[in-house]
């Protein structure tokens, strides 16, 4: 057992928290309540209580503590979400180590790039992890069941730090990196815990809830769910990522675990809405659904609502650079004339603003600009990428001389009459086609208005300075399989100018998704060019 305490600073007054302090704050008051519920073989589930989770953290700390690691050393975590992997990341937090979750079996080149840039001291593997070679100077450990064993100690490290601080990186999460190189978003303890406090003020769940996480550990949405459940004294249900592909299995896990709140990207519901409607309607303990990461296509949302009329749906907007930013309840019922969902206001302690192309504040409702975020939960920077970091942070548009910076989200939005925000696509999805400005989202929304279209995506293909054309992809409901490209094209032509009409239109069984569950645009590009 480690002689270091998990709560090194609890006796200090007025000090900000570390990640592990926030996540274990219910261990003292609700020790016997379930903290994590995870599948353990057919129809069986393992329950870890708050007290057991805290003990697991202490055991993991003891295993890591003798390795001579320096504060700020990186620990790669190749794992799915489980009580053991949560304990590992909490142990890292308690020892001042920075964890880097990479999911299980990350693509070889991606992992190599992350290893090169973060130069980890230690690599931890959970069951299901791959067996890629780990460079000899990097320590190697395994998490099996509740125990963490070290197979190989890391090479000796220089130790210069004495005291972890809340400004230290708690974790680095690598985003998909549209530039081709994954971008490592560095989040400090202070940023994460202030986000968690902002989220708690929304009162989304109570200790009686069971919050189902459907996101992989390398996607920060899973850490949002861990914070939501453990910070509220609720139980976190870990839905195995592979079950999402099998709607019946997914619904069974939700039923058997008594999930009351299910959080995930919108695409997790698509197969269920197609193939498992009755099972979904029978989830009588379900009270809340929270989605994040992309727009929920309105036809699918209405369908979901029809099957689960009493369930509260929350639209959670934001990016990895601030964990998330807002939580807005979707009106119930959703009026028929609603075309766009509100993303509301930023969580407590943060603000969303709009700026024009020159970085000036936009205050008039209805005018579209870029959403920027002022928040204590902002990331520290991109790992080893000062240029990208500078580009993402702007002087505060309200008080540019203060030295305060805001996050450029790259998202377009406009406000409504109450000041509430509406997301209207990525700034970079505004393209020029034969000299005309086109918002890909406008075309997408037009397609979604066609009866039976459940989801749609629009891409621009061709060189920026050459002949650019639009390609559209739609998914139709199981009952509308006769919807064809010609009808969809005619429907678009009734409302859109010729240069906005897709030159190619394909009806697909499903939109391909990234490991995070968002629409995978690169696969769609490959589909067209291949
Ligand atoms: P997240 O983990 O929140 O999905 P990413 O950094 O992967 O964060 O992606 C952030 C982007 O995803 C945002 O800038 C925005 O374009 C999109 N996004 C996130 N949440 C929503 C939402 N609720 N509605 C529409 N788009 C969203």
């Amino acid at each position: 057992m480690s002689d270091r305490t998990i709560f090194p600073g609890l006796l200090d007054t007025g000090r900000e928290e570390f990640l592990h302090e926030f996540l274990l704050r219910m261990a003292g008051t609700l020790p016997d309540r379930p903290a994590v519920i995870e599948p353990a073989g057919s129809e069986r589930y393992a329950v870890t209580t708050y007290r057991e989770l805290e003990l697991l953290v202490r055991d993991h700390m003891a295993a890591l503590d003798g390795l001579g690691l320096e504060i700020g050393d990186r620990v790669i975590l190749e794992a799915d979400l489980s009580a053991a992997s949560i304990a590992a990341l909490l142990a890292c937090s308690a020892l001042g180590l920075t964890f880097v979750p990479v999911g299980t079996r990350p693509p070889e080149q991606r992992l190599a790039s992350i290893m090169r840039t973060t130069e980890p001291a230690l690599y931890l593997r959970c069951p299901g992890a791959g067996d890629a070679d780990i460079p000899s100077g990097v320590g190697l450990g395994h998490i099996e069941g509740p125990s963490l064993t070290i197979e190989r100690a890391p090479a000796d490290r220089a130790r210069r730090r004495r005291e972890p601080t809340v400004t230290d990186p708690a974790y680095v999460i690598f985003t998909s990196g549209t530039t081709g190189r994954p971008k490592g978003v560095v989040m400090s303890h202070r940023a994460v815990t202030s986000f968690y406090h902002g989220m708690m003020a929304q009162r989304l769940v109570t200790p009686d809830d069971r919050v189902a996480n459907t996101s992989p550990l390398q996607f920060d949405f899973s850490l949002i769910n861990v914070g939501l459940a453990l910070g509220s004294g609720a139980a976190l249900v870990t839905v195995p990522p592979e079950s999402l592909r099998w709607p019946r299995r997914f619904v069974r896990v939700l039923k058997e675990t008594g999930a009351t709140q299910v959080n995930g990207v919108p695409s997790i519901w698509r197969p269920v809405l197609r193939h498992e409607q009755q099972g979904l309607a029978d989830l009588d303990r379900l009270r809340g659904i929270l989605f994040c990461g992309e727009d929920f296509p309105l036809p699918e949302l209405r369908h979901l609502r029809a099957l689960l009329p009493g369930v509260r749906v929350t639209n959670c907007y934001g990016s990895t650079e601030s964990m998330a930013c807002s939580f807005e309840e979707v009106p119930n019922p959703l009026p028929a004339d609603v075309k766009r969902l509100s993303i509301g206001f930023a969580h407590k302690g943060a603000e969303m603003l709009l700026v024009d192309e020159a970085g000036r504040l936009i205050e008039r409702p209805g005018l579209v600009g870029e959403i920027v975020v002022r928040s204590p939960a902002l990331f520290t920077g991109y790992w080893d990428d000062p240029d990208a970091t500078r580009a993402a942070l702007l002087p505060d548009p309200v008080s540019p001389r203060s030295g305060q910076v805001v996050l450029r989200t790259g998202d377009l939005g406009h406000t409504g009459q109450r000041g509430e925000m509406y997301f209207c696509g990525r700034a970079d999805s505004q393209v020029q086609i034969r000299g005309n400005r086109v918002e890909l989202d406008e075309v997408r929304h037009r397609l979604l208005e066609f009866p039976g279209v459940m989801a749609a995506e629009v891409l621009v293909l061709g060189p920026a300075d050459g002949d650019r054309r639009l390609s559209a992809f739609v998914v139709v409901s199981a009952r509308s399989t006769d919807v064809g490209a010609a009808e969809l094209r005619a429907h678009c032509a009734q409302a859109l100018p010729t240069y906005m009409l897709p030159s190619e239109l394909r009806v697909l069984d499903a939109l391909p998704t990234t490991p995070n569950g968002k629409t995978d645009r690169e696969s769609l590009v490959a589909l067209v060019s291949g």
Side-chain angles (χ1 to χ4, degrees), residues 219-220 292-295 315-320 409 411 423 426 518:
F219 185 24
D220 70 333
C292 183
E294 61 187 3
D295 254 346
N315 180 1
C316 166
Y317 160 83
S319 61
T320 312
T409 60
D411 291 331
F423 168 86
R426 292 284 306 166
K518 298 199 197 192

Side-chain angles (χ1 to χ4, degrees), residues 194-195 197-199 202 322 324-327 345-351 375-377:
S194 55
F195 166 76
H197 282 287
M199 175 169 66
Q202 304 286 142
S322 62
C325 182
S326 71
F327 300 85
F345 296 86
H347 62 70
K348 197 164 167 39
E351 277 189 304
S375 168

Side-chain angles (χ1 to χ4, degrees), residues 25 55 88 150 183 189 194 208 218 292 330-331 345 353 391 395 463 491 520:
R25 66 189 193 152
L55 289 174
I150 300 296
K183 266 189 191 166
H189 293 267
S194 55
D208 292 327
Q218 75 273 26
C292 183
V330 177
F345 296 86
L353 312 167
H491 167 75
D520 184 352

Side-chain angles (χ1 to χ4, degrees), residues 25-87:
R25 66 189 193 152
M26 294 299 178
T29 40
L30 303 171
D32 299 316
R33 300 285 293 234
V36 183
I37 300 174
E38 57 195 304
S42 80
E43 290 175 43
R44 291 191 315 121
Y45 295 88
V47 177
T48 306
T49 63
Y50 276 89
R51 186 203 313 273
E52 288 163 344
L53 183 65
E54 188 180 345
L55 289 174
L56 213 52
V57 177
R58 287 180 189 279
D59 288 349
H60 285 9
M61 283 172 71
L64 297 175
D65 203 16
L67 298 177
L69 297 172
E70 161 79 327
I71 293 170
D73 269 346
R74 273 77 58 206
V75 176
I76 304 255
L77 199 52
E78 185 183 344
D80 285 330
L81 194 64
S82 64
S85 63
I86 293 172

Side-chain angles (χ1 to χ4, degrees), residues 81-333:
L81 194 64
S82 64
S85 63
I86 293 172
L89 62 88
L90 290 174
C92 286
S93 167
L95 294 171
L97 307 170
T98 302
F99 66 92
V100 185
V102 294
T104 39
R105 300 181 177 270
E108 207 177 307
Q109 286 188 2
R110 181 177 167 81
L111 179 61
S113 148
I114 293 175
M115 297 277 286
R116 238 187 344 265
T117 167
T118 58
E119 298 177 317
L122 185 67
Y123 196 103
L124 289 180
R125 281 190 173 131
C126 276
D131 53 5
D133 281 341
I134 305 303
S136 59
V138 179
L140 184 59
H142 301 275
I143 297 173
E144 269 151 44
S147 63
L148 192 165
T149 50
I150 300 296
E151 177 184 324
R152 182 177 74 208
D156 283 347
R157 323 282 299 172
R159 296 187 69 169
R160 289 165 295 188
R161 296 279 310 270
R162 290 164 50 124
E163 177 79 3
T165 71
V166 291
T167 51
D168 285 334
Y171 65 78
V172 185
I173 280 201
F174 282 82
T175 63
S176 23
T178 40
T179 53
R181 177 175 158 216
K183 266 189 191 166
V185 179
V186 179
M187 288 297 279
S188 68
H189 293 267
R190 174 157 80 189
V192 185
T193 55
S194 55
F195 166 76
Y196 281 160
H197 282 287
M199 175 169 66
M200 286 300 124
Q202 304 286 142
R203 305 198 177 284
L204 293 166
V205 299
T206 72
D208 292 327
D209 275 299
R210 297 188 163 196
V211 181
N213 169 75
T214 58
S215 291
L217 184 54
Q218 75 273 26
F219 185 24
D220 70 333
F221 196 3
S222 63
L223 297 177
I224 294 178
N225 295 331
V226 171
L228 179 62
L230 301 190
S232 310
L236 180 80
V237 173
T238 66
V239 177
E242 67 280 2
S243 70
L244 296 177
R245 274 180 280 145
W246 307 101
R248 185 164 299 172
R249 212 186 293 169
F250 175 35
V251 168
R252 182 164 12 103
V253 172
L254 299 181
K255 183 97 187 163
E256 288 172 351
T257 55
T260 60
Q261 168 81 34
V262 183
N263 296 357
V265 290
S267 65
I268 60 167
W269 299 106
R270 200 163 291 147
V272 187
L273 289 174
R274 267 195 149 214
H275 304 292
E276 201 50 36
Q277 298 170 17
Q278 191 55 49
L280 189 60
D282 289 345
L283 291 175
D284 46 14
R285 295 196 58 189
L286 189 58
R287 292 191 317 116
I289 285 177
L290 178 145
F291 72 89
C292 183
E294 61 187 3
D295 254 346
F296 209 127
L298 288 181
E300 286 181 336
L301 186 56
R302 290 184 193 283
H303 190 189
L304 188 67
R305 259 288 163 67
L307 294 168
L308 297 166
V311 166
R312 179 173 79 161
V313 179
T314 307
N315 180 1
C316 166
Y317 160 83
S319 61
T320 312
E321 288 83 344
S322 62
M323 285 204 92
C325 182
S326 71
F327 300 85
E328 178 72 350
E329 195 170 328
V330 177
N332 193 10

